[in-house]
Amino acid sequence: MGAWLVIVVVPLSHPLSIGHTPFPWECTAMPCEGVLHQREHMLGGLGVVIICLSVVVTMLTGFSMSAICTNGIVRGGGAYYLISRSLGPEFGGSIGLIFAFANAVAVAMYVVGFSETVVDLLKVNDALMIDETNDIRIVGTITVILLLGISVAGMEWEAKTQVVLLIILLIAIVNFFIGTVIPSTKEKMAQGFFNYKASIFAENFGPEFRNGEGFFSVFAIFFPAATGILAGANISGDLKDPQGAIPKGTMLAILITTIAYLAVAICAAACVVRDATGSMNDTVTSILQCNGSAACTLGYNFSICETEKCNYGLMNNFQVMSMVSGFGPLIIAGIFSATLSSALASLVSAPKVFQALCKDNIYKALHFFAKGQGKNNEPIRGYVLTFIIAVAFILIAELNAIAPIISNFFLASYALINFSCFHASYAKSPGWRPAYKYYNMWVSLFGAMLCCGVMFVINWWAAVITYGIELFLYIYVTYKKPEVNWGSSAQALHYTNALNSALELDTIDDHVKNFRPQCLVLTGAPMARPALLDITNSFTKNTGLCICCEVFAGPRKQAVKEMNSGMSKKQKWLTKNKKKAFYAAVAADSFRDGVRTLLQASGLGRLKPNTLVMGFKKEWRQASTVDLANYVGVLHDAFDFEYGVAIVRISQGFDISAILQAQDELQRLEQERLALEATMKENEFQNGNSRIRRFFSKSSKLNITANSSTKDISPTPQVHGGEYNQRLVESSEQFKKKQGKGTIDVWWLFDDGGLTLLIPHLLTLKKKWKDCKLRIFIGGKVNRIEDEKMMMASLLSKFRIKFADVYILADINTKPSKESWKFFEEMIEPYRLHESAMDVPTAEKVRRENPWKITDSELEMLIEKSYRQVRLNELLQEHSRSANLIVLSLPVARKGTVSDHLYMAWVEILSKNLPPVILVRGNHKSVLTFYS
């Protein structure tokens, strides 16, 4: 290493920040300890390169930090706040924790640097208390206690202390420069100091590496002197104008410290030779003794240092600054000032960063440390924790192993700040409008890469450890998914990427190989019909689009108001319950009009629904003719708009709105009870007791057990007195569970393009349904059962659909049993017109008054279709009664030909008394292909 690089360690190493608190000028002892214990130095040009390279890293980070700081109000938390609000909680939470820990351990490093200097003085004066190591522990612990007292006293005391330390440090630096121009004495000349000489500077300008050291190893020792540019940002919560103070203070401090570093380094290199004996007798007595060195030309012969170890000169004397300065003890005072200033700044920074992290509740176990004390919300608990960590590392008294990791922690913070600035610019968010204009996104990216490179230059294994810790914390926070929304640039980039991807999809034509069910699900409020959403999610999750739709029918003003009030809540419910679906709502005059709007306008480009999923209208017989017409009309509309249709039926139905309302009422009553109890404790009035009795009387009518959470409908309420339908609750949760071994029976009765076959196939790919086997049922002829079975098996193999067996139903078109047909006739009896039993005028009048009724002629014309539905139910009961799920071809009613009640009777009899049934009908566009 360059000999004069030793001098660089005395100036402050952390820039000042100008703001509400006057000049918290941060310094570090780490370079003092690192450099003063190294014997390999580098001179001149490469030394300046090292300083400049360090300045480049800090300057680029300063630009990025200034841009982020001026893009909005900066609250407490320093680097954590800047990174988390830019890149989100995953990056912010991971770097915030290790940055707070790095500052806590840095306190120990700086205090140990101070303690070692004190112990050296005790040793020189033969005043050691125990031994060097234990004395370092004793002095360090006492020092941390005193610094803790200053920190806890408040920022005013810390600022005043920093000013005093700054003044001492400035005096020490000035003292050094004064010493360089004071004529050297013979004693100092013997130690290598000759004042400013061009020959000395020329000799020191070239590098001279020793003992295997090189440029990067020297850079690794020096660079920690350039850390600390976040000192001002770390106390952002205590600054009057952080947006103005942090950029100005940081950039000004970088400029001043750079000048100080370069000036001290160049001055020392121009005044002191590399090697000196310290003996005033080693003068040149003849020209033959001169070896051509700068010292030789100045009358001193230090050639013996080439073969023997010398104790003086820049390469050997660790107290060279004291020797050069006008008054040596002031240099010691400067070292004390630098170390204590840095320790105090880190002791203040660590708790504040940690408190900001804990307040955001990213790590719930650490929320204890979020609480502050006093008018300034001082993080007393954080101070105590930082004190414990610092004392623990001081007692170790061996920080050489941990020091590289700490430096890498700081560099990781710098890298993420640079990347935050780049990411925010790259995402092109309209909210990215920093007042600080002297930055460039690509320069910020270069700064991030440079920081990452410097991490490996300083210590590769420390860099690997740092990345490992950060990755672990990142994964942890990502997994926990804290409920925060800071408008990060990551969100902006997600939006930009999604938009670009959607636009790219529009440039590509659809292909049958890439077909996937993209479902419009008529759930209403998604939490009201969770089972319908669960079964749809089973075949769309990670495969296709799923949109939960709700129609608010009625007067426009009221419908719009009701719709707007709940949209955010319902989308949040989907997110919280990990349903990969969107929520969409429309206000319309009628249910059918609303669904028609959704069918036409839902989706974006290629991300457009192609399948309508709805629940079976279980209470169709009690519904008004208008409601039933709207329900059946929705099916006609879906086919008109070339949608596939799936109607799902489960035994208990889907709607659990009554249960949710009861839960909400119970929660309201529980809150009321707690409020009344609190009032009773404060005020023991007689009427309070009567209100409590009335409350409990009211509450007992519900006969249900309170549930502590209404986040999900999964907790099963207890059933008392018939208030809750327990089977309905269990039925609403059946598709959340793993289905176990069983079958999915596919009754593929019409060629609808393959949707009836594709949906069950997709189900078997999911974890909950993977143990279920596909059984395929198709119609056929008695004399061709085996041939048709082989043909169907071959077809399925070409489609690459795994199946357990194929069943050919030869008796599918036979008449149903008399009992079954009688049941069907009794079902439709209330809706028949029976015009055959009336005279013609009466029949016409009744038909005009009840156009929705089933006429005798209609029933006669559709008798074969009616027989088929009844017969299919018999076959379903015979073959699929024990299936986990039945997927069945949906019969289609020709518009204007089949009355609504007759069609609903078909669907009713077809799916009655069976396991969960999905009735599917594609739009006759092929969704399966043989080809790769």
Side-chain angles (χ1 to χ4, degrees):
M1 294 188 303
W4 49 262
L5 188 56
V6 178
I7 312 304
V8 177
V9 299
V10 174
L12 63 163
S13 58
H14 297 267
L16 76 156
S17 298
I18 303 173
H20 167 63
T21 53
F23 302 106
W25 196 316
E26 304 305 328
C27 314
T28 181
M30 184 171 161
C32 299
E33 294 310 307
V35 177
L36 293 180
H37 287 81
Q38 284 287 342
R39 297 183 179 276
E40 299 77 33
H41 307 283
M42 180 175 60
L43 301 179
L46 291 184
V48 173
V49 170
I50 283 179
I51 296 174
C52 292
L53 180 57
S54 302
V55 170
V56 167
V57 174
T58 55
M59 187 70 74
L60 295 180
T61 306
F63 288 149
S64 299
M65 182 177 68
S66 299
I68 298 173
C69 286
T70 58
N71 192 53
I73 296 175
V74 180
R75 295 187 174 89
Y80 161 71
Y81 185 88
L82 298 179
I83 295 170
S84 62
R85 268 52 178 183
S86 294
L87 293 179
E90 296 83 5
F91 280 108
S94 57
I95 203 65
L97 197 59
I98 64 176
F99 186 70
F101 177 76
N103 274 285
V105 178
V107 175
M109 289 196 301
Y110 301 141
V111 169
V112 167
F114 167 78
S115 302
E116 286 185 350
T117 307
V118 173
V119 171
D120 283 344
L121 294 175
L122 293 176
K123 184 178 180 182
V124 170
N125 293 282
D126 198 22
L128 290 176
M129 294 174 280
I130 303 175
D131 56 52
E132 290 187 39
T133 301
N134 285 309
D135 282 11
I136 290 173
R137 292 169 177 162
I138 294 169
V139 174
T141 303
I142 294 171
T143 304
V144 170
I145 293 173
L146 293 174
L147 294 176
L148 180 65
I150 295 172
S151 301
V152 172
M155 286 301 298
E156 294 81 5
W157 284 93
E158 192 266 348
K160 292 175 183 177
T161 304
Q162 290 283 22
V163 170
V164 172
L165 295 174
L166 173 62
I167 292 172
I168 295 172
L169 183 58
L170 290 175
I171 292 173
I173 295 173
V174 172
N175 174 53
F176 167 74
F177 288 120
I178 292 174
T180 61
V181 297
I182 296 175
S184 180
T185 63
K186 288 186 177 181
E187 182 181 358
K188 288 186 177 181
M189 288 182 180
Q191 294 179 15
F193 173 52
F194 296 94
N195 295 111
Y196 291 101
K197 304 293 180 184
S199 58
I200 295 177
F201 184 78
E203 184 178 79
N204 285 340
F205 191 80
E208 184 180 326
F209 298 109
R210 300 180 184 178
N211 297 337
E213 295 296 327
F215 177 85
F216 291 111
S217 63
V218 177
F219 175 79
I221 293 171
F222 173 77
F223 184 78
T227 59
I229 61 172
L230 299 178
N234 289 341
I235 58 171
S236 55
D238 298 292
L239 300 178
K240 186 176 182 180
D241 179 23
Q243 286 182 283
I246 293 174
K248 292 177 183 177
T250 302
M251 301 311 295
L252 182 61
I254 292 174
L255 176 63
I256 294 174
T257 50
T258 301
I259 294 171
Y261 281 138
L262 291 173
V264 173
I266 292 172
C267 289
C271 295
V272 186
V273 297
R274 284 172 172 160
D275 298 292
T277 60
S279 173
M280 290 183 287
N281 296 324
D282 288 337
T283 55
V284 177
T285 56
S286 70
I287 266 186
L288 294 174
Q289 288 182 300
C290 189
N291 59 4
S293 66
C296 187
T297 60
L298 296 171
Y300 280 83
N301 180 12
F302 298 142
S303 58
I304 192 173
C305 294
E306 296 177 6
T307 57
E308 296 182 12
K309 175 177 168 52
C310 293
N311 295 322
Y312 296 96
L314 287 177
M315 293 295 291
N316 311 296
N317 183 10
F318 297 152
Q319 303 298 326
V320 70
M321 284 195 70
S322 297
M323 182 265 291
V324 172
S325 65
F327 183 61
L330 279 178
I331 298 300
I332 301 299
I335 293 175
F336 287 172
S337 173
T339 52
L340 293 177
S341 174
S342 295
L344 186 58
S346 295
L347 189 57
V348 170
S349 297
K352 291 188 179 296
V353 173
F354 194 56
Q355 183 187 37
L357 175 67
C358 296
K359 273 185 177 179
D360 289 334
N361 207 22
I362 291 177
Y363 302 100
K364 296 186 183 298
L366 302 177
H367 192 64
F368 171 80
F369 295 98
K371 186 176 181 181
Q373 305 290 335
K375 63 177 183 179
N376 292 327
N377 199 33
E378 292 294 332
I380 303 300
R381 295 174 180 178
Y383 281 127
V384 173
L385 179 63
T386 303
F387 170 77
I388 293 171
I389 294 173
V391 170
F393 280 94
I394 287 170
L395 294 178
I396 294 173
E398 179 55 60
L399 298 177
N400 287 341
I402 198 70
I405 298 179
I406 302 307
S407 295
N408 275 276
F409 281 179
F410 283 114
L411 274 166
S413 303
Y414 297 172
L416 282 180
I417 287 175
N418 281 298
F419 185 73
S420 297
C421 184
F422 163 75
H423 202 269
S425 303
Y426 183 74
K428 298 177 182 177
S429 171
W432 176 246
R433 301 185 301 275
Y436 187 84
K437 301 299 182 183
Y438 306 104
Y439 78 95
N440 179 274
M441 59 182 287
W442 300 111
V443 172
S444 295
L445 178 62
F446 174 72
M449 297 171 63
L450 190 60
C451 288
C452 294
V454 170
M455 289 174 69
F456 282 95
V457 166
I458 289 178
N459 192 299
W460 69 266
W461 58 263
V464 171
I465 291 174
T466 303
Y467 284 126
I469 294 173
E470 189 175 336
L471 180 62
F472 171 79
L473 294 174
Y474 179 88
I475 293 172
Y476 173 82
V477 177
T478 303
Y479 176 75
K480 289 296 182 180
K481 290 185 178 177
E483 296 178 10
V484 294
N485 183 8
W486 295 324
S488 66
S489 59
Q491 291 174 295
L493 192 61
H494 285 327
Y495 175 85
T496 303
N497 290 340
L499 182 61
N500 290 334
S501 297
L503 290 171
E504 285 180 15
L505 276 175
D506 253 8
T507 64
I508 305 169
D509 291 335
D510 282 331
H511 194 282
V512 63
K513 285 192 299 184
N514 293 321
F515 177 88
R516 60 201 67 213
Q518 303 198 107
C519 297
L520 199 70
V521 193
L522 300 183
T523 58
M527 63 281 286
R529 292 176 178 80
L532 182 59
L533 177 56
D534 288 336
I535 188 62
T536 308
N537 230 217
S538 295
F539 58 83
T540 60
K541 187 176 181 181
N542 300 325
T543 304
L545 179 69
C546 181
I547 304 177
C548 301
C549 299
E550 184 172 11
V551 177
F552 292 87
R556 179 177 176 81
K557 186 175 181 181
Q558 180 182 346
V560 170
K561 182 179 179 181
E562 187 180 355
M563 178 184 72
N564 291 337
S565 64
M567 291 191 71
S568 177
K569 177 183 176 183
K570 290 162 186 173
Q571 183 61 57
K572 285 180 179 177
W573 184 90
L574 291 171
T575 304
K576 183 180 290 186
N577 289 274
K578 299 180 180 178
K579 308 295 183 186
K580 294 197 174 182
F582 300 97
Y583 173 75
V586 293
D589 295 331
S590 68
F591 173 73
R592 184 177 182 181
D593 287 342
V595 176
R596 189 183 290 125
T597 301
L598 289 166
L599 289 169
Q600 295 178 84
S602 294
L604 179 68
R606 296 286 184 212
L607 297 175
K608 181 178 174 60
N610 53 34
T611 305
L612 176 69
V613 180
M614 56 196 300
F616 175 68
K617 194 173 183 66
K618 186 181 178 185
E619 307 298 331
W620 63 273
R621 280 176 278 194
Q622 288 77 39
S624 67
T625 55
V626 174
D627 286 346
L628 194 62
N630 279 336
Y631 181 83
V632 177
V634 164
L635 301 179
H636 293 308
D637 293 338
F639 290 126
D640 287 344
F641 294 124
E642 298 186 342
Y643 275 67
V645 174
I647 298 178
V648 187
R649 181 176 186 179
I650 57 178
S651 59
Q652 298 299 318
F654 291 105
D655 194 354
I656 61 168
S657 300
I659 295 176
L660 296 178
Q661 289 174 2
Q663 286 181 341
D664 290 341
E665 176 68 10
L666 185 60
Q667 185 184 40
R668 186 187 66 78
L669 291 174
E670 179 67 13
Q671 291 172 348
E672 182 182 331
R673 183 183 68 81
L674 294 173
L676 288 172
E677 284 183 353
T679 304
M680 259 185 66
K681 289 178 182 178
E682 296 174 1
N683 233 333
E684 292 291 339
F685 291 126
Q686 187 63 31
N687 64 344
N689 294 330
S690 64
R691 286 171 65 196
I692 292 293
R693 285 195 296 272
R694 286 199 304 272
F695 167 76
F696 280 115
S697 174
K698 183 178 180 181
S699 181
S700 63
K701 293 178 183 178
L702 285 174
N703 291 323
I704 49 179
T705 301
N707 195 304
S708 60
S709 172
T710 56
K711 291 180 181 178
D712 200 339
I713 54 88
S714 55
T716 303
Q718 295 184 11
V719 182
H720 296 283
E723 289 291 338
Y724 273 133
N725 187 334
Q726 181 71 17
R727 288 181 298 173
L728 176 57
V729 176
E730 292 173 355
S731 179
S732 70
E733 298 174 347
Q734 62 181 306
F735 299 124
K736 291 181 179 179
K737 304 171 185 175
K738 189 170 183 179
Q739 298 302 307
K741 291 185 178 180
T743 64
I744 298 176
D745 288 358
V746 182
W747 291 66
W748 193 14
L749 307 177
F750 303 99
D751 182 9
D752 60 351
L755 185 63
T756 308
L757 194 58
L758 180 62
I759 286 177
H761 167 69
L762 293 175
L763 280 174
T764 60
L765 301 180
K766 304 300 180 180
K767 188 176 180 180
K768 291 176 183 176
W769 294 87
K770 68 177 183 178
D771 294 329
C772 293
K773 307 291 186 182
L774 285 188
R775 296 196 304 175
I776 313 298
F777 294 82
I778 61 172
K781 297 180 180 179
V782 177
N783 58 351
R784 296 196 59 201
I785 289 180
E786 289 302 320
D787 292 341
E788 291 187 0
K789 185 173 182 178
M790 290 180 63
M791 288 174 59
M792 188 63 191
S794 174
L795 182 65
L796 292 172
S797 297
K798 289 181 179 179
F799 283 143
R800 303 169 306 284
I801 303 285
K802 293 182 180 180
F803 61 95
D805 207 347
V806 175
Y807 296 86
I808 308 299
L809 304 172
D811 54 349
I812 196 171
N813 291 317
T814 59
K815 285 187 177 181
S817 66
K818 292 182 179 179
E819 293 78 9
S820 299
W821 181 249
K822 183 179 179 181
F823 180 85
F824 179 76
E825 286 185 318
E826 290 174 351
M827 182 192 303
I828 63 174
E829 179 62 30
Y831 317 110
R832 292 187 62 181
L833 187 64
H834 287 297
E835 78 276 13
S836 300
M838 307 175 188
D839 56 62
V840 175
T842 305
E844 288 297 327
K845 180 183 178 183
V846 173
R847 185 179 297 165
R848 285 195 301 270
E849 292 174 351
N850 302 282
W852 51 271
K853 284 199 171 185
I854 305 170
T855 63
D856 292 342
S857 58
E858 176 190 353
L859 189 59
E860 183 66 26
M861 181 179 64
L862 299 170
I863 191 70
E864 292 299 328
K865 283 193 174 183
S866 299
Y867 283 158
R868 182 183 175 89
Q869 314 313 323
V870 179
R871 176 57 183 159
L872 278 172
N873 181 260
E874 291 179 342
L875 293 172
L876 285 161
Q877 297 286 348
E878 178 184 345
H879 295 282
S880 298
R881 193 77 178 88
S882 60
N884 294 55
L885 179 71
I886 298 172
V887 180
L888 174 67
S889 292
L890 174 71
V892 176
R894 182 172 295 179
K895 197 186 306 184
T897 303
V898 182
S899 60
D900 297 334
H901 284 83
L902 179 59
Y903 179 72
M904 291 304 297
W906 286 354
V907 180
E908 170 75 33
I909 196 65
L910 185 61
S911 57
K912 189 175 181 59
N913 297 327
L914 290 171
V917 178
I918 306 179
L919 297 110
V920 181
R921 194 61 172 257
N923 60 7
H924 296 279
K925 290 183 179 180
S926 181
V927 300
L928 297 172
T929 178
F930 297 154
Y931 306 104
S932 63

